Amino acid sequence: MGVHPSLLNPITCSKIIVQLCYSKGLYGCELWNNLTKNELLLLERTHRYICKYVQGLPRLTRTDKCTSLLGWIPIESIININKLLFFGRLCNMPSKYLPKNVLMSRLLVFYHKCTENNFGFVNDVIQIMQKYDLVGHIEKLISTSYFPKQKQWKSIVKKRVYEYEENILKQRLDSDNDFEYFKHIHNSIEPHRAWTILRQYPSLNFQAKFIISLCALVRPSEPDAEQY
């Protein structure tokens, strides 16, 4: 994989993986559509394994704990962010360009359900926007031709996606007895304090990993423990 948890801070490993590996591995994911559950599961398993590996955690670590401790969201959400950002770039193109005209034409067809065809990029974007409660931006685009600038749109998208994942995490923490103690230690999607402190004090490597291991302690009897 090129990174080792005993040599690099997991936050540094995370940045290397996301910026170098994921940018290549997910190249063109904006146009992936109608992924099957099995395909998404394979991607998620790889994503979870990497998350556990860079933190030096066992394979049987609960995924909810592992990803939240590093501040990661599911790979599906990362793909959704890329699709929404690509959609934003298309919407911000001048109307004289063909891709913008094709997009608007397809958007009207799918949004008003003028076709039974449920495949394609635009249909995916509409479903994703419904998931994250962003449909209002499509309605405004159709009625007034206004769409947020790319920088603003990126901020809106990431905020909504992370809010959605935070709510999912909190629901899981409140409904699962296995998280009775964990939710008082770490209940948000952001790197744990042990990892952030380790960046300032590299000599505390052993202590930081010990704390994370305690937070992510796995019991063999946990029903949802995953192999990857």
Side-chain angles (χ1 to χ4, degrees), residues 198-223:
L198 181 60
R199 298 182 71 181
Q200 299 175 342
Y201 305 98
S203 60
L204 298 178
N205 186 43
F206 175 80
Q207 291 86 342
K209 290 183 177 180
F210 180 73
I211 292 173
I212 294 297
S213 296
L214 287 178
C215 293
L217 185 64
V218 177
R219 298 193 307 273
S221 60
E222 288 184 342

mmCIF file of all heavy atoms in Angstrom, residues 198-223:
data_model
loop_
_atom_site.group_PDB
_atom_site.id
_atom_site.type_symbol
_atom_site.label_atom_id
_atom_site.label_comp_id
_atom_site.label_asym_id
_atom_site.label_seq_id
_atom_site.Cartn_x
_atom_site.Cartn_y
_atom_site.Cartn_z
ATOM 1 N N LEU A 198 -0.995 13.575 18.107
ATOM 2 C CA LEU A 198 0.189 12.856 17.638
ATOM 3 C C LEU A 198 0.929 13.629 16.546
ATOM 4 O O LEU A 198 2.149 13.513 16.411
ATOM 5 C CB LEU A 198 -0.219 11.473 17.122
ATOM 6 C CG LEU A 198 0.906 10.560 16.617
ATOM 7 C CD1 LEU A 198 1.913 10.286 17.729
ATOM 8 C CD2 LEU A 198 0.331 9.254 16.076
ATOM 9 N N ARG A 199 0.210 14.422 15.789
ATOM 10 C CA ARG A 199 0.853 15.223 14.742
ATOM 11 C C ARG A 199 1.792 16.264 15.355
ATOM 12 O O ARG A 199 2.823 16.601 14.782
ATOM 13 C CB ARG A 199 -0.204 15.917 13.881
ATOM 14 C CG ARG A 199 -1.123 14.967 13.144
ATOM 15 C CD ARG A 199 -2.109 15.698 12.273
ATOM 16 N NE ARG A 199 -1.456 16.303 11.118
ATOM 17 C CZ ARG A 199 -2.089 17.030 10.203
ATOM 18 N NH1 ARG A 199 -3.390 17.243 10.322
ATOM 19 N NH2 ARG A 199 -1.447 17.535 9.179
ATOM 20 N N GLN A 200 1.431 16.757 16.518
ATOM 21 C CA GLN A 200 2.256 17.759 17.190
ATOM 22 C C GLN A 200 3.364 17.119 18.027
ATOM 23 O O GLN A 200 4.440 17.696 18.194
ATOM 24 C CB GLN A 200 1.381 18.645 18.087
ATOM 25 C CG GLN A 200 0.312 19.418 17.330
ATOM 26 C CD GLN A 200 -0.603 20.197 18.264
ATOM 27 O OE1 GLN A 200 -0.667 19.922 19.460
ATOM 28 N NE2 GLN A 200 -1.308 21.172 17.716
ATOM 29 N N TYR A 201 3.073 15.920 18.537
ATOM 30 C CA TYR A 201 4.035 15.233 19.405
ATOM 31 C C TYR A 201 4.251 13.801 18.908
ATOM 32 O O TYR A 201 3.684 12.847 19.454
ATOM 33 C CB TYR A 201 3.533 15.226 20.853
ATOM 34 C CG TYR A 201 3.210 16.597 21.395
ATOM 35 C CD1 TYR A 201 1.897 17.071 21.402
ATOM 36 C CD2 TYR A 201 4.218 17.426 21.889
ATOM 37 C CE1 TYR A 201 1.596 18.335 21.898
ATOM 38 C CE2 TYR A 201 3.928 18.692 22.388
ATOM 39 C CZ TYR A 201 2.616 19.133 22.385
ATOM 40 O OH TYR A 201 2.325 20.390 22.877
ATOM 41 N N PRO A 202 5.061 13.632 17.872
ATOM 42 C CA PRO A 202 5.292 12.298 17.282
ATOM 43 C C PRO A 202 5.835 11.271 18.270
ATOM 44 O O PRO A 202 5.666 10.066 18.062
ATOM 45 C CB PRO A 202 6.312 12.584 16.170
ATOM 46 C CG PRO A 202 6.142 14.037 15.858
ATOM 47 C CD PRO A 202 5.788 14.683 17.158
ATOM 48 N N SER A 203 6.470 11.735 19.328
ATOM 49 C CA SER A 203 7.044 10.797 20.297
ATOM 50 C C SER A 203 5.966 10.047 21.078
ATOM 51 O O SER A 203 6.260 9.046 21.741
ATOM 52 C CB SER A 203 7.952 11.547 21.279
ATOM 53 O OG SER A 203 7.220 12.537 21.994
ATOM 54 N N LEU A 204 4.721 10.514 20.992
ATOM 55 C CA LEU A 204 3.618 9.862 21.712
ATOM 56 C C LEU A 204 2.918 8.818 20.845
ATOM 57 O O LEU A 204 1.752 8.499 21.072
ATOM 58 C CB LEU A 204 2.601 10.917 22.169
ATOM 59 C CG LEU A 204 3.119 11.982 23.141
ATOM 60 C CD1 LEU A 204 2.021 12.988 23.459
ATOM 61 C CD2 LEU A 204 3.625 11.329 24.429
ATOM 62 N N ASN A 205 3.629 8.293 19.876
ATOM 63 C CA ASN A 205 3.046 7.345 18.926
ATOM 64 C C ASN A 205 2.430 6.132 19.629
ATOM 65 O O ASN A 205 1.285 5.755 19.362
ATOM 66 C CB ASN A 205 4.117 6.890 17.934
ATOM 67 C CG ASN A 205 3.542 6.012 16.840
ATOM 68 O OD1 ASN A 205 2.489 6.289 16.299
ATOM 69 N ND2 ASN A 205 4.239 4.936 16.525
ATOM 70 N N PHE A 206 3.178 5.524 20.525
ATOM 71 C CA PHE A 206 2.689 4.326 21.220
ATOM 72 C C PHE A 206 1.450 4.645 22.048
ATOM 73 O O PHE A 206 0.462 3.902 22.034
ATOM 74 C CB PHE A 206 3.788 3.754 22.121
ATOM 75 C CG PHE A 206 3.331 2.593 22.955
ATOM 76 C CD1 PHE A 206 3.238 1.316 22.411
ATOM 77 C CD2 PHE A 206 2.967 2.781 24.286
ATOM 78 C CE1 PHE A 206 2.796 0.247 23.183
ATOM 79 C CE2 PHE A 206 2.526 1.719 25.059
ATOM 80 C CZ PHE A 206 2.444 0.447 24.505
ATOM 81 N N GLN A 207 1.488 5.761 22.774
ATOM 82 C CA GLN A 207 0.365 6.131 23.634
ATOM 83 C C GLN A 207 -0.898 6.422 22.815
ATOM 84 O O GLN A 207 -2.005 6.021 23.196
ATOM 85 C CB GLN A 207 0.729 7.359 24.481
ATOM 86 C CG GLN A 207 1.784 7.100 25.543
ATOM 87 C CD GLN A 207 3.205 7.226 25.018
ATOM 88 O OE1 GLN A 207 3.435 7.185 23.809
ATOM 89 N NE2 GLN A 207 4.161 7.366 25.929
ATOM 90 N N ALA A 208 -0.720 7.115 21.681
ATOM 91 C CA ALA A 208 -1.875 7.439 20.837
ATOM 92 C C ALA A 208 -2.524 6.175 20.292
ATOM 93 O O ALA A 208 -3.757 6.033 20.298
ATOM 94 C CB ALA A 208 -1.442 8.349 19.693
ATOM 95 N N LYS A 209 -1.710 5.240 19.831
ATOM 96 C CA LYS A 209 -2.249 3.993 19.279
ATOM 97 C C LYS A 209 -2.909 3.145 20.357
ATOM 98 O O LYS A 209 -3.897 2.454 20.097
ATOM 99 C CB LYS A 209 -1.138 3.214 18.583
ATOM 100 C CG LYS A 209 -0.667 3.879 17.301
ATOM 101 C CD LYS A 209 0.376 3.064 16.584
ATOM 102 C CE LYS A 209 0.756 3.752 15.279
ATOM 103 N NZ LYS A 209 1.776 3.006 14.534
ATOM 104 N N PHE A 210 -2.375 3.223 21.559
ATOM 105 C CA PHE A 210 -2.980 2.487 22.669
ATOM 106 C C PHE A 210 -4.373 3.037 22.976
ATOM 107 O O PHE A 210 -5.326 2.282 23.188
ATOM 108 C CB PHE A 210 -2.088 2.588 23.908
ATOM 109 C CG PHE A 210 -2.636 1.859 25.101
ATOM 110 C CD1 PHE A 210 -2.627 0.475 25.151
ATOM 111 C CD2 PHE A 210 -3.173 2.567 26.168
ATOM 112 C CE1 PHE A 210 -3.144 -0.205 26.251
ATOM 113 C CE2 PHE A 210 -3.691 1.906 27.274
ATOM 114 C CZ PHE A 210 -3.676 0.507 27.315
ATOM 115 N N ILE A 211 -4.499 4.367 22.961
ATOM 116 C CA ILE A 211 -5.801 5.001 23.218
ATOM 117 C C ILE A 211 -6.807 4.620 22.133
ATOM 118 O O ILE A 211 -7.958 4.273 22.417
ATOM 119 C CB ILE A 211 -5.646 6.534 23.290
ATOM 120 C CG1 ILE A 211 -4.855 6.922 24.541
ATOM 121 C CG2 ILE A 211 -7.011 7.223 23.286
ATOM 122 C CD1 ILE A 211 -4.495 8.394 24.609
ATOM 123 N N ILE A 212 -6.373 4.676 20.870
ATOM 124 C CA ILE A 212 -7.262 4.330 19.763
ATOM 125 C C ILE A 212 -7.679 2.867 19.843
ATOM 126 O O ILE A 212 -8.837 2.515 19.593
ATOM 127 C CB ILE A 212 -6.581 4.621 18.411
ATOM 128 C CG1 ILE A 212 -6.358 6.125 18.242
ATOM 129 C CG2 ILE A 212 -7.411 4.078 17.258
ATOM 130 C CD1 ILE A 212 -7.629 6.953 18.207
ATOM 131 N N SER A 213 -6.748 2.011 20.211
ATOM 132 C CA SER A 213 -7.064 0.585 20.340
ATOM 133 C C SER A 213 -8.117 0.355 21.420
ATOM 134 O O SER A 213 -9.011 -0.477 21.262
ATOM 135 C CB SER A 213 -5.798 -0.212 20.671
ATOM 136 O OG SER A 213 -4.867 -0.126 19.622
ATOM 137 N N LEU A 214 -8.018 1.108 22.508
ATOM 138 C CA LEU A 214 -9.018 0.993 23.572
ATOM 139 C C LEU A 214 -10.383 1.474 23.081
ATOM 140 O O LEU A 214 -11.413 0.859 23.373
ATOM 141 C CB LEU A 214 -8.589 1.808 24.793
ATOM 142 C CG LEU A 214 -7.441 1.247 25.637
ATOM 143 C CD1 LEU A 214 -7.116 2.207 26.778
ATOM 144 C CD2 LEU A 214 -7.798 -0.125 26.200
ATOM 145 N N CYS A 215 -10.374 2.574 22.331
ATOM 146 C CA CYS A 215 -11.638 3.119 21.812
ATOM 147 C C CYS A 215 -12.317 2.137 20.863
ATOM 148 O O CYS A 215 -13.544 2.023 20.829
ATOM 149 C CB CYS A 215 -11.391 4.437 21.080
ATOM 150 S SG CYS A 215 -10.850 5.793 22.138
ATOM 151 N N ALA A 216 -11.505 1.452 20.073
ATOM 152 C CA ALA A 216 -12.048 0.559 19.042
ATOM 153 C C ALA A 216 -12.015 -0.901 19.475
ATOM 154 O O ALA A 216 -12.006 -1.796 18.635
ATOM 155 C CB ALA A 216 -11.257 0.733 17.752
ATOM 156 N N LEU A 217 -11.978 -1.138 20.786
ATOM 157 C CA LEU A 217 -11.888 -2.497 21.307
ATOM 158 C C LEU A 217 -12.985 -3.381 20.729
ATOM 159 O O LEU A 217 -14.160 -3.029 20.726
ATOM 160 C CB LEU A 217 -11.994 -2.474 22.833
ATOM 161 C CG LEU A 217 -11.797 -3.807 23.548
ATOM 162 C CD1 LEU A 217 -10.379 -4.314 23.322
ATOM 163 C CD2 LEU A 217 -12.083 -3.658 25.033
ATOM 164 N N VAL A 218 -12.603 -4.549 20.245
ATOM 165 C CA VAL A 218 -13.547 -5.477 19.623
ATOM 166 C C VAL A 218 -13.690 -6.716 20.479
ATOM 167 O O VAL A 218 -12.707 -7.289 20.923
ATOM 168 C CB VAL A 218 -13.060 -5.892 18.219
ATOM 169 C CG1 VAL A 218 -14.011 -6.906 17.607
ATOM 170 C CG2 VAL A 218 -12.956 -4.680 17.332
ATOM 171 N N ARG A 219 -14.931 -7.122 20.715
ATOM 172 C CA ARG A 219 -15.190 -8.379 21.407
ATOM 173 C C ARG A 219 -15.598 -9.418 20.374
ATOM 174 O O ARG A 219 -16.386 -9.117 19.471
ATOM 175 C CB ARG A 219 -16.309 -8.209 22.439
ATOM 176 C CG ARG A 219 -15.988 -7.217 23.538
ATOM 177 C CD ARG A 219 -16.993 -7.342 24.674
ATOM 178 N NE ARG A 219 -18.360 -7.254 24.203
ATOM 179 C CZ ARG A 219 -19.021 -6.113 24.056
ATOM 180 N NH1 ARG A 219 -18.414 -4.967 24.312
ATOM 181 N NH2 ARG A 219 -20.272 -6.108 23.634
ATOM 182 N N PRO A 220 -15.120 -10.641 20.480
ATOM 183 C CA PRO A 220 -15.463 -11.680 19.500
ATOM 184 C C PRO A 220 -16.955 -11.912 19.378
ATOM 185 O O PRO A 220 -17.432 -12.396 18.366
ATOM 186 C CB PRO A 220 -14.759 -12.924 20.053
ATOM 187 C CG PRO A 220 -13.648 -12.386 20.890
ATOM 188 C CD PRO A 220 -14.177 -11.115 21.488
ATOM 189 N N SER A 221 -17.710 -11.560 20.414
ATOM 190 C CA SER A 221 -19.150 -11.822 20.398
ATOM 191 C C SER A 221 -19.933 -10.754 19.662
ATOM 192 O O SER A 221 -21.137 -10.878 19.486
ATOM 193 C CB SER A 221 -19.680 -11.913 21.833
ATOM 194 O OG SER A 221 -19.441 -10.697 22.523
ATOM 195 N N GLU A 222 -19.264 -9.674 19.225
ATOM 196 C CA GLU A 222 -19.986 -8.612 18.534
ATOM 197 C C GLU A 222 -20.517 -9.134 17.206
ATOM 198 O O GLU A 222 -19.756 -9.597 16.356
ATOM 199 C CB GLU A 222 -19.078 -7.412 18.284
ATOM 200 C CG GLU A 222 -18.774 -6.636 19.553
ATOM 201 C CD GLU A 222 -17.957 -5.394 19.270
ATOM 202 O OE1 GLU A 222 -17.362 -5.319 18.189
ATOM 203 O OE2 GLU A 222 -17.935 -4.512 20.131
ATOM 204 N N PRO A 223 -21.839 -9.075 16.987
ATOM 205 C CA PRO A 223 -22.436 -9.673 15.791
ATOM 206 C C PRO A 223 -22.097 -8.965 14.498
ATOM 207 O O PRO A 223 -22.084 -9.570 13.444
ATOM 208 C CB PRO A 223 -23.942 -9.578 16.071
ATOM 209 C CG PRO A 223 -24.072 -8.415 17.008
ATOM 210 C CD PRO A 223 -22.836 -8.462 17.869
#
